[in-house]
């Protein structure tokens, strides 16, 4: 069986799928392909990140669909359009949450290409925010997502209105090309478009961002802007901005060039940088305590 590097990377990024009971105890850590070829089937029920399509050793029935979740590449599949955003229907019999200043909302998005193969419980990145499919209307070609209050606070989704365009990307599968970088859909915060500047058929985009995000960005490193995997060119922490370029193809296939100076964008720094920062901080703290 040919190696599956993209799935192997997913396993390394989500070590909980290696816990006891999910893989045979005798399975070596590598290579991943040899484990997939094992006659012992994976037990799929506990998986948080599923390896779709479902292996035949689990089930060939569509009724055994495992929701696809939690990892994206930042390569936008389609630009969808917001059909409706507002409070979810009131549960029958009343009750529900405790209310509050920022209730959650339902986000209904029109899509032409993402309905096929998508099922309830799948995760889709909407403007870079990982959301769970809560309803599918094939007649209207829409997907509905529940957006929690915390998501509204941390992202720009609360500012979307009917008619707005949004970037859409389905979660990674073992057969997907890893064309961008590891994007979790866990938005770190929002930035603000500071400038657009054309150069040839490309466009320079400058984004103002908070210090805690800028500290994780490096020139030639990755950043997800509204879910689009982009290469950072310059980072100016003193003035509070970073920039990147959009080639012609990207301009034609993502929402960003349609926005205006001053508009908000969702930002997610590279997860590898976050782990490095945390590991180094822990090491420095331990060294400091040992020397004190």
């Amino acid at each position: 069986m040919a190696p599956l590097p993209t799935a192997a990377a997913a396993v390394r990024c989500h070590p909980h799928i290696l816990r006891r009971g999910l893989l045979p105890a005798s399975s070596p850590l590598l290579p991943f392909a040899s484990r997939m070829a094992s006659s012992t089937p994976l037990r799929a029920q506990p998986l948080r990140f599923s390896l779709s399509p479902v292996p035949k050793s689990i089930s060939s029935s569509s009724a055994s669909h495992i929701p696809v979740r939690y990892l994206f590449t930042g390569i936008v599949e389609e630009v969808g359009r917001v059909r409706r955003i507002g409070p979810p229907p009131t549960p029958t019999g009343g009750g529900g949450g405790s209310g509050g200043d920022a209730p959650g909302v339902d986000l209904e998005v029109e899509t032409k290409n993402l309905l096929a193969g998508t099922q309830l419980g799948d995760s889709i990145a909407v403007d870079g925010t990982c959301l769970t499919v809560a309803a599918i209307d094939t007649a209207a070609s829409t997907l509905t997502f529940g957006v929690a209050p915390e998501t509204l606070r941390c992202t720009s989704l609360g500012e979307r209105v009917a008619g707005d365009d949004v970037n859409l990307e389905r979660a990674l599968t073992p057969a997907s090309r890893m064309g961008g970088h590891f994007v979790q859909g866990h938005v770190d915060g929002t930035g603000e478009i500071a400038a657009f500047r054309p150069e040839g058929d490309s466009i320079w985009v400058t984004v103002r961002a908070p210090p805690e995000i800028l500290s994780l960005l490096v020139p030639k490193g990755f950043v997800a802007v509204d879910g689009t995997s982009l290469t950072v060119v310059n980072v100016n922490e003193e003035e509070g901005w970073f920039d990147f370029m959009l080639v012609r193809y990207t301009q034609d296939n993502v929402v960003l060039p349609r926005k205006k100076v001053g508009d908000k964008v969702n930002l997610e720094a590279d997860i590898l940088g976050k782990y490095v920062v945390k590991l180094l901080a822990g090491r420095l703290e331990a060294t400091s305590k040992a020397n004190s």
Side-chain angles (χ1 to χ4, degrees):
M1 181 175 178
L4 298 173
T6 52
V11 171
R12 290 197 296 274
C13 285
H14 297 265
H16 52 266
I17 76 172
L18 295 178
R19 290 175 184 164
R20 181 167 55 87
L22 297 182
L23 292 175
S26 59
S27 295
L29 272 181
L30 291 172
F32 180 81
S34 65
R35 291 205 307 276
M36 292 297 292
S38 170
S39 60
T40 305
L42 292 166
R43 283 190 236 153
Q45 293 82 354
L47 283 177
R48 289 174 59 83
F49 178 83
S50 66
L51 304 178
S52 292
V54 181
K56 291 182 180 179
S57 58
I58 296 176
S59 172
S60 59
S61 170
S62 60
S64 300
H65 172 80
I66 307 172
V68 181
R69 301 179 180 171
Y70 291 121
L71 193 64
F72 308 92
T73 68
I75 304 300
V76 174
E77 291 186 81
E78 180 185 345
V79 173
R81 180 157 294 177
V82 175
R83 169 75 65 85
R84 184 185 73 86
I85 182 168
T90 303
T92 303
S98 58
D101 295 332
V105 300
D106 275 359
L107 175 63
E108 186 178 356
V109 179
E110 297 177 18
T111 170
K112 297 179 180 178
N113 304 319
L114 268 60
L115 290 177
T118 297
Q119 298 196 32
L120 296 177
D122 283 355
S123 288
I124 292 178
V126 181
D127 269 355
T129 307
C130 180
L131 299 176
T132 301
V133 177
I136 302 172
D137 187 335
T138 55
S141 295
T142 62
L143 300 172
T144 299
F145 309 88
V147 186
E150 177 66 9
T151 303
L152 294 173
R153 285 189 288 267
C154 294
T155 72
S156 65
L157 291 181
E159 299 183 3
R160 300 281 71 79
V161 297
D164 281 355
D165 292 334
V166 288
N167 293 327
L168 301 175
E169 183 194 354
R170 290 171 290 191
L172 187 67
T173 73
S176 303
R177 288 181 179 271
M178 193 65 196
H181 71 284
F182 290 128
V183 177
Q184 293 181 298
H186 301 163
V187 174
D188 293 310
T190 58
E192 180 182 296
I193 298 174
F196 290 107
R197 179 170 61 87
E199 181 178 340
D201 64 352
S202 298
I203 298 177
W204 283 95
V205 184
T206 303
V207 175
R208 295 190 186 94
E212 60 270 20
I213 295 178
L214 287 172
S215 66
L216 296 169
L217 303 184
V218 295
K220 304 300 184 285
F222 290 118
V223 65
V225 180
D226 279 344
T228 305
S229 176
L230 297 165
T231 302
V232 177
V233 179
N234 300 293
V235 181
N236 191 321
E237 293 191 56
E238 291 184 0
E239 296 182 11
W241 58 265
F242 71 95
D243 64 12
F244 51 87
M245 295 193 81
L246 297 178
V247 299
R248 169 57 59 188
Y249 181 86
T250 305
Q251 295 171 43
D252 294 339
N253 289 277
V254 302
V255 174
L256 190 57
R258 309 174 196 182
K259 293 194 171 185
K260 307 182 298 295
V261 170
D263 283 353
K264 284 185 179 180
V265 289
N266 293 325
L267 301 176
E268 181 186 333
D270 187 1
I271 183 62
L272 299 180
K274 298 175 192 176
Y275 280 127
V276 169
V277 168
K278 184 168 184 178
L279 289 170
L280 287 177
R283 180 63 61 88
L284 290 172
E285 182 179 358
T287 302
S288 177
K289 288 181 178 179
N291 294 334
S292 61

